[in-house]
Amino acid sequence: MDRLVIGGRELKSRLFIGSGKFADESIIGDIVAQTGVEIVTVALRRVSLSGDGDNILRCIPKECVLLPNTSGARTAEEAIRIARLARAAGCGDWVKIEVISDNKYLLPDNNETIKATRVLAEEGFVVLPYMHPDLYAAKELERAGAAAVMPLGAPIGTNRGLKTKEIVRILIEECRVPVIVDAGIGKPSEAAEAMEMGAAACLVNTAIATAGNPLVMARAFSQAVEAGRLAYLAQPGETTEYARASSPLTGFLRS
Amino acid sequence: MHSFYEQIEAYEGFDFARFLEGVSLRQVDGVLNKDYLSPHDFLALLSPAAAERLEAMAQKAHRLTRQHFGRVIQLYTPIYLANYCVNRCVYCNFNHRNDIERRQLTTAEIEGEAEAIAATGLRQILLLTGEKPGKDALDYLINAVEIVRNHFTAVGIEVNPMDVAAYCRLAEAGVDSLTIYHETYDRAVYDRLHPAGPKKDYRWRLDAPERGCQAGFRAVNIGALLGLNHWPSEAFFTGLHASYLQNKYLGAEIGIAVPRIKAGPGAYQPESPVFDQDLVQILLAFRLFMPRAGISLSTREPAELRDHLLPLGITRMSAGSVTAVGGHIDENADDGQFRVSDERSVDAVREMLIAKGYQPVHQDWHRLA
């Protein structure tokens, strides 16, 4: 049986969604209802902890795992403080570590991410670190207690697709924790490609939130992720350099 | 490179007019096909030839903005704390020699202004003052920051340039962002428009955003006061300045604003008017040159124009602005720094954003201290 278990929870949907770029956050409920998405990331910096005003937390269906992220953190220390703040505010034990000190390309800082992961995993958080794909860093994150690793497919928000494919493939082969492709995926076909390679899940925000019809795009991603996973499980046939005809023209030579 | 000043010096004698006139449509089309623009690509987008490609620029700017920022717009508003000023900027109503009623909000009045603004739902605030040198002025500002922190999740300042130590004290008190406009990058024009006062020191002001980055402000916003000088070169240096800061201080979010000068005291009229089409071209060129930079649009611009500019790269808008000291709690307050053109309430701006398919964001930051 094909199961994805993270932090002790079995997840049926392998599509995770971000919530940062929608015109109207209330659409998240419809996406969850129509696709079965179970994990929704939320930037804690956008959450009103005093409970007043518009609050995105109200838009996240209760059946979902709320995955607060540490967006805005520039150091491990800031990420740790944001994670603790999220837990104290009742956002649960799951946290996506984002440590970004580069505002030009928004690339994650693996060193600081490892430090934050180590501390938060020890404190009992289910830590999902967003990372620059690098085998040594991924293995270090595993040792630090990460529940999964989340390498980027391309720089965040670019919709450029699975540019880091070869390295992500290596992470999938070498990591013992689930590898969730996060950031950069722009089209359902790219999500399917990641899943065909053996990624455990994909996290998508920009490609859905900025689509002409976000709800339909979310459904497309959901189906693509599922199709990609099925293809992976089905073990695709090998690819070859030369054509293999069903009725070879030179077959008579062997008979 | 020790200061942006050295980059400006490198353009000493550069013939902007000749470069801009020499840009061809083919060259603009080539720039539009690039992912990353050089400074000269950026300058080409400020040329008359690029003005003929505004729609193509707009489509790309819109796409990039949506991709990087989504369908969200940050909302904020200013509080004018004081209009005492020792400077004599010829275009500004706070000019030291201007005969206006001077005042500085008391602690209770700051609290009152903050409460009134917070009641509109806004959670991001910008504090403004005129320039009043001395330790008292800094202590006053720090006190104001500590008061408004109780009502807002992000606090910005738009005040006179300070040294790194003073900026550090403000950051410690709770300031997240620094906004400082260089007014004009042309040294001769700058000198003429600032006849007296500490603001006359071009270099001290020019390096202030960099000192803000060094002090660790999370966000630093810059801009030129459009209309004071030939706009293509002003826009060019603004973009170059923003890029310089972004490359050198990766941890800071560098933002750009596009304030247009309005007629001021003594019937001051902009010497180099920036028409709506020029403003559009500037906005689009900024977005294509710096796809990840925040771009602010103030209530200096009229409501209808703001609505049209929205999809062209804007990520932050002020709303419910009052430029008079104490204007939120005192109906009789007047002598604001300039007349607001978009007089819509915060609610009305919010409704406009929603109607246009944007999410108004009131909070984008938590103080961790």
Side-chain angles (χ1 to χ4, degrees), chain A residues 70-153:
Chain A
T70 64
S71 159
R74 296 176 292 189
T75 62
E77 189 201 346
E78 286 182 356
I80 291 164
R81 284 156 72 192
I82 292 171
R84 289 172 180 162
L85 197 60
R87 182 150 74 177
C91 295
D93 287 336
W94 288 52
V95 66
K96 178 185 161 194
I97 303 294
E98 283 187 36
V99 183
I100 295 172
S101 57
D102 146 44
N103 273 292
K104 189 172 182 186
Y105 300 106
L106 296 181
L107 295 173
D109 181 331
N110 282 351
N111 289 334
E112 293 294 302
T113 302
I114 291 165
K115 284 186 219 165
T117 299
R118 188 172 295 123
V119 171
L120 292 170
E122 274 178 19
E123 292 180 10
F125 282 91
V126 176
V127 183
L128 284 78
Y130 171 54
M131 65 172 305
H132 197 89
D134 173 87
L135 180 59
Y136 300 104
K139 297 303 283 182
E140 196 57 43
L141 283 166
E142 267 186 9
R143 283 192 285 274
V149 291
M150 305 180 81
L152 58 85

Side-chain angles (χ1 to χ4, degrees), chain A residues 21-23 25 44-47 49 52 74 81-82 101-104 106 157-158 160 206 209-211, chain B residues 35 66-68 70-71 123 218 246-247 250-253 292 357-359 361 363-366 368-369:
Chain A
K21 292 181 173 177
F22 289 100
E25 291 160 336
L44 192 75
R45 64 200 259 178
R46 292 259 177 98
V47 175
L49 296 181
D52 58 351
R74 296 176 292 189
R81 284 156 72 192
I82 292 171
S101 57
D102 146 44
N103 273 292
K104 189 172 182 186
L106 296 181
T158 59
R160 284 176 185 266
T206 304
T210 67
Chain B
D35 283 340
R66 182 166 284 192
Q67 180 186 323
H68 289 297
R71 301 169 190 254
R123 290 292 174 270
R218 184 173 58 84
Q246 187 67 95
N247 289 334
L250 288 172
E253 291 176 23
R292 284 251 0 121
Y358 287 88
Q359 180 196 157
V361 169
Q363 175 184 320
D364 194 38
W365 186 246
H366 271 297
L368 293 174

Side-chain angles (χ1 to χ4, degrees), chain B residues 265-287:
Chain B
Y268 174 82
Q269 292 294 330
E271 293 176 37
S272 309
V274 176
F275 299 105
D276 290 354
Q277 175 168 327
D278 306 330
L279 183 64
V280 166
Q281 190 172 353
I282 292 167
L283 264 176
L284 299 176
F286 280 151
R287 173 53 69 229

Side-chain angles (χ1 to χ4, degrees), chain A residues 184-243:
Chain A
I185 288 182
K187 293 195 284 288
S189 56
E190 293 155 0
E193 187 180 15
M195 298 303 294
E196 283 169 6
M197 273 165 45
C202 289
L203 193 153
V204 182
N205 182 196
T206 304
I208 294 175
T210 67
N213 187 330
L215 192 55
V216 173
M217 188 58 87
R219 284 168 48 203
F221 266 102
S222 173
Q223 290 172 14
V225 164
E226 201 173 323
R229 183 66 188 176
L230 282 174
Y232 169 74
L233 295 174
Q235 300 169 18
E238 64 178 294
T239 53
T240 64
E241 288 289 318
Y242 307 103

